[in-house]
Amino acid sequence: MGFIVDIFNQVLYLPLFNALIWLYNIIPGNDLGIAIIILTVLIRFIFYPLSRKAIRSQKVMSELQPKIKEIQKKCKSKEEQMKQTMVLYKEHKINPVTGCLPILIQLPILLALYRVFFTGISDPEKLNNLYSFVAQPESLNVIFLGLIDLSEKSIFLALLAGFFQFVQSKMIMPKKSASQKQMKIGNIDFSSLMGQQMVYFMPLITIFIAWNLPAALPLYWVVVTVFGVVQQYFTKTLINQKI
């Protein structure tokens, strides 16, 4: 276990922590919040190709749902349903695993960033872990834009994180066709209903969690979500143009 923790620290935590302090040092005014925003955007740009593939895969799979339901009605056995569904995926050149891949890859980085923002900026002794080419600041200015203390809780950033989570959730939800809107009572699509409830439930969870964390983490959350909203909009626009 100690070996895994050591690899995690050397490969993810320390590089990200040093990158944050390096950005902090070169930013005029030494604003830690601006450094967090820049670091977050750089990481999102690095993972943009993976995210773009995931968005395309999600869009195509959403459009294939009527055909998948036809297969489920037509084929009685689960094995045959799976076989025909995989054939359908192959015809449209998509891999259902693609949608989960960015999340799986980014999860360790998210955990490392959590540690950077949660403990790195609150413990002065962590500055002793800087690389030789990264200058050690005398102290960290944790007041973002002169308004928000990133080491304390912020209801404003928590609410902002919840709002953008709601916007992103609404964008991800597939639009209903005319036939789906005219669905009869007693023929309820429970998966669709659950998805609609999560659109409102997830932002509330986001606000609750963000409200109980130092403001540096909700700030990161806001930047990630805003970047995701913008990326999703432009990626879907490009995909629709190709289609």
Side-chain angles (χ1 to χ4, degrees):
M1 188 66 181
F3 177 70
I4 296 175
V5 172
D6 188 55
I7 291 178
F8 174 82
N9 288 335
Q10 296 299 324
V11 175
L12 292 175
Y13 169 70
L14 286 177
L16 288 172
F17 179 67
N18 277 268
L20 177 65
I21 301 302
W22 179 79
L23 288 169
Y24 173 82
N25 287 334
I26 66 173
I27 291 171
N30 299 121
D31 192 316
L32 186 64
I34 301 297
I36 289 174
I37 292 173
I38 295 174
L39 179 62
T40 304
V41 171
L42 288 174
I43 292 172
R44 296 299 293 181
F45 267 116
I46 291 172
F47 285 100
Y48 173 75
L50 276 176
S51 299
R52 186 173 181 274
K53 287 183 179 180
I55 293 171
R56 180 190 177 279
S57 177
Q58 290 170 359
K59 178 175 174 56
V60 176
M61 288 183 68
S62 176
E63 293 172 347
L64 291 178
Q65 285 305 307
K67 293 184 178 180
I68 293 174
K69 289 182 179 180
E70 287 180 10
I71 290 174
Q72 292 173 346
K73 290 179 181 179
K74 182 180 177 181
C75 304
K76 299 301 180 182
S77 68
K78 293 291 184 181
E79 185 178 345
E80 186 63 24
Q81 288 177 12
M82 182 65 69
K83 183 179 178 181
Q84 293 298 323
T85 302
M86 294 308 296
V87 170
L88 186 65
Y89 287 156
K90 190 174 181 180
E91 287 176 357
H92 290 80
K93 298 178 180 179
I94 63 167
N95 187 342
V97 180
T98 305
C100 303
L101 191 59
I103 298 175
L104 294 175
I105 293 177
Q106 293 179 66
L107 185 58
I109 295 177
L110 178 61
L111 293 174
L113 286 170
Y114 174 85
R115 186 179 171 194
V116 168
F117 299 150
F118 192 72
T119 63
I121 66 173
S122 60
D123 185 359
E125 292 186 3
K126 297 295 183 181
L127 294 174
N128 296 327
N129 294 324
L130 295 175
Y131 298 145
S132 59
F133 57 85
V134 179
Q136 180 172 330
E138 293 183 4
S139 60
L140 289 177
N141 174 24
V142 296
I143 308 301
F144 176 47
L145 299 177
L147 298 172
I148 300 174
D149 188 342
L150 297 178
S151 64
E152 301 292 336
K153 301 175 184 179
S154 171
I155 182 58
F156 172 73
L157 287 178
L159 290 171
L160 206 59
F163 170 74
F164 284 115
Q165 178 69 53
F166 173 75
V167 173
Q168 188 176 46
S169 299
K170 290 289 286 184
M171 290 181 68
I172 293 173
M173 282 292 293
K175 293 182 179 179
K176 290 183 178 182
S177 63
S179 60
Q180 288 175 314
K181 290 180 180 179
Q182 296 173 356
M183 190 181 298
K184 294 180 180 179
I185 299 175
N187 188 26
I188 301 173
D189 187 342
F190 286 101
S191 61
S192 177
L193 183 61
M194 182 65 70
Q196 291 174 13
Q197 290 178 343
M198 291 301 289
V199 168
Y200 300 95
F201 189 57
M202 283 304 296
L204 293 176
I205 293 178
T206 299
I207 292 171
F208 176 77
I209 295 174
W211 197 351
N212 290 280
L213 293 172
L217 284 158
L219 175 62
Y220 164 77
W221 209 327
V222 168
V223 177
V224 166
T225 311
V226 170
F227 190 95
V229 168
V230 175
Q231 173 186 308
Q232 193 146 349
Y233 173 79
F234 283 106
T235 301
K236 283 189 173 183
T237 301
L238 290 172
I239 292 171
N240 289 333
Q241 289 175 351
K242 290 183 179 181
I243 294 175

